Amino acid sequence: MIRLLAVLLFLPCAVLAQSFPEHTSVYVNDFAQILDDASETRIAQALEAVRDDTGVQANVVTISRRADYGDSASIEAFAKDLFNHWGIGNAARNDGILILVASEDREMRIALGSAYPPVWDGVALRIIDTQMLPAFRDGNMAAGIEAGTLATIDRIARPFTAGQPAPEAPTTPFDPTPWMFGGAVLLSILVAARGGLANLALRFRTCPACGKRGLHRDHTTLTEPTKLASGVQRIRTACNSCDYHRDVERTIPSLSSSGGGGSFGGGSSSGGGASGRW
């Protein structure tokens, strides 16, 4: 009984354990390698332009899944904590913006600095629903991220800094976060215990070779990143019943700052923004 109580007390602490990637750019950090070079360049230029014009620091971040960085109760918690860990935005104005996409988790969030009143959450939600999720569902994530970024600049960053009211402000949408909190915490415990939500879902997929259910995914670092060079990670999806496996390699960003490098201004978020899932 004592051991059981100790485990139950430890699990919440394990869930809270969290690590974050280090940014390599103050504009775009495409850790999941979703964006092609042309799209990334256009997005970075747009974010640089709005920073020059208004002072707003906005950053686009893609990751494969939250579990790669420890874990958190929800995409909302992860985005807020990453926002504050990096200090996105000016510390005096707190008008920074984070656009976060977790591709394998199939969820995303536009996180806003603490200076934005709640009415801007509705604008962020409208951008997600109209500009980003339709493209994501069609399998064109790069186009959705670019469209959502440009809309965020035009409909949030520029009007807010100009002192204009929130455009197209809808009735405050139902926020399921309070209702989902208890379930999210329970889900996070299961994720920590089972090795991640992605692997849990894979167990119900059928193997393309033998047709049996039960796949698993392993991440192996082949080359560690350094300050001068990027690294390589191998992601292997394999069957528990036969010899089938599929390997995908992805680049781990170098530890040095590159295009758009530098630092943020120490801004913070109190959790405002909106989320989307597809």
Side-chain angles (χ1 to χ4, degrees):
M1 178 61 71
I2 293 177
R3 289 186 178 180
L4 177 59
L5 290 175
V7 170
L8 292 175
L9 290 172
F10 172 78
L11 279 175
C13 297
V15 170
L16 293 175
Q18 186 74 65
S19 62
F20 295 104
E22 292 302 322
H23 71 270
T24 59
S25 167
V26 294
Y27 302 121
V28 181
N29 291 276
D30 185 24
F31 299 121
Q33 299 293 300
I34 294 173
L35 302 171
D36 57 87
D37 291 343
S39 296
E40 183 171 347
T41 297
R42 289 192 299 268
I43 292 171
Q45 289 175 343
L47 294 175
E48 183 178 13
V50 74
R51 182 174 181 177
D52 291 342
D53 293 345
T54 68
V56 171
Q57 291 185 337
N59 195 271
V60 171
V61 178
T62 72
I63 61 173
S64 293
R65 56 180 189 160
R66 290 183 285 112
D68 289 340
Y69 304 99
D71 201 16
S72 57
S74 63
I75 188 70
E76 291 80 10
F78 185 92
K80 175 185 173 183
D81 292 343
L82 178 63
F83 192 116
N84 292 331
H85 178 74
W86 284 0
I88 298 173
N90 181 280
R93 299 196 309 268
N94 286 321
D95 54 4
I97 300 172
L98 168 64
I99 300 174
L100 172 67
V101 176
S103 58
E104 291 188 23
D105 291 338
R106 301 178 68 86
E107 56 186 4
M108 64 150 301
R109 183 161 180 83
I110 297 178
L112 302 177
S114 58
Y116 291 90
V119 66
W120 293 93
D121 297 352
V123 182
L125 182 62
R126 182 69 63 85
I127 291 171
I128 291 171
D129 287 344
T130 61
Q131 303 296 319
M132 306 188 78
L133 295 187
F136 289 179
R137 291 173 182 136
D138 288 340
N140 198 344
M141 297 190 67
I145 292 172
E146 184 171 358
T149 300
L150 297 179
T152 299
I153 291 171
D154 291 340
R155 297 166 60 184
I156 296 181
R158 291 190 184 280
F160 178 77
T161 55
Q164 300 173 2
E168 302 178 16
T171 302
T172 303
F174 170 69
D175 183 2
T177 302
W179 297 93
M180 294 173 59
F181 179 77
V185 171
L186 178 59
L187 177 60
S188 297
I189 293 174
L190 291 174
V191 166
R194 295 291 188 104
L197 182 59
N199 271 340
L200 183 61
L202 278 173
R203 295 182 185 184
F204 296 95
R205 296 184 186 177
T206 57
C207 172
C210 69
K212 294 182 179 180
R213 295 184 184 275
L215 300 176
H216 66 273
R217 181 172 294 152
D218 298 314
H219 294 68
T220 303
T221 299
L222 303 178
T223 306
E224 293 285 351
T226 68
K227 291 185 177 181
L228 300 177
S230 59
V232 177
Q233 182 183 61
R234 183 185 68 202
I235 305 172
R236 169 167 292 185
T237 303
C239 178
N240 295 326
S241 301
C242 70
D243 294 332
Y244 167 81
H245 67 270
R246 180 174 63 88
D247 292 341
V248 176
E249 292 186 1
R250 72 179 182 188
T251 302
I252 304 174
S254 65
L255 302 180
S256 62
S257 297
S258 55
S263 60
F264 294 105
S268 64
S269 171
S270 56
S275 302
R277 293 166 178 83
W278 67 99

